[in-house]
Amino acid sequence: MPRAGLSPDAVVDAAVAVVDAEGPGALTLAAVAGRAGVATPSLYKHVRNLAELRHLVTARVLEELAERLGEAALGRSGDDAVRALMYAYRAYVVEHPGRYGAMEQTAVPEGGSAGDAAERLLNILYGALRGYALEGPELVHAARCLRSAVHGFAVLEAAGGFGLPADLEGSYELLITMVTGGLAGRGRVA
């Protein structure tokens, strides 16, 4: 019988708490069991192994990102939508560097909670980018570039990787201008 109060969601909650407090490298079944107040074998009633737990943490992060980016982009288009997405994405990474760092960066298979969340997140990005009249491979390229730009900046910022005295917000505004300017050159802004 599974322990009362322990569920797959509770196990993921404990895993997220571990990576938030101690970083992605601390994610072990023993650490999660300790955080949940159970013996490690008790987790196997809810997750098969550490790989599945990592996948579930990835799903959680993707769901949270999709929620935040969806709210940011709602009612916006073109440059305004991309700007809002970029700020929302960056804020999430800076606020939650441990859980973001624990997210698997490999392509997420279709289906399942991680696949569904990844598809939702991608559709939000595509929706914001459609204002540039991009389609097919051009839309995919633009989504990859947008994600890469924000991911790189935010991960460096969260890790304290920007030590020069110039204003960080000024640097991010320049990045947004570069991204939106490049997008506008590929299509038309609605």
Side-chain angles (χ1 to χ4, degrees), residues 31 38 44 50 75 97 101 114 118 121 123 134-135 143 150 155 165 170 181 190:
V38 300
Y44 291 110
L50 183 58
L121 183 58
N123 286 332
L134 302 170
E135 297 178 8
V150 177
V155 167

Side-chain angles (χ1 to χ4, degrees), residues 2-100:
R3 180 181 172 100
L6 195 60
S7 66
D9 279 343
V11 171
V12 175
D13 290 344
V16 167
V18 167
V19 297
D20 281 347
E22 302 171 43
L27 184 58
T28 65
L29 291 175
V32 172
R35 178 71 64 152
V38 300
T40 303
S42 297
L43 296 180
Y44 291 110
K45 296 176 177 112
H46 306 285
V47 294
R48 286 188 306 266
N49 51 35
L50 183 58
E52 181 182 30
L53 182 57
R54 288 183 191 282
H55 192 69
L56 292 171
V57 168
T58 295
R60 172 74 60 86
V61 172
L62 289 169
E63 289 165 4
E64 290 173 354
L65 269 172
E67 182 70 26
R68 186 169 294 192
L69 271 59
E71 288 175 8
L74 189 64
R76 301 173 190 267
S77 64
D79 289 354
D80 288 339
V82 170
R83 174 179 299 284
L85 288 177
M86 290 180 74
Y87 270 108
Y89 199 119
R90 174 187 173 208
Y92 181 88
V93 175
V94 171
E95 290 167 20
H96 305 290
R99 71 180 68 177
Y100 185 79

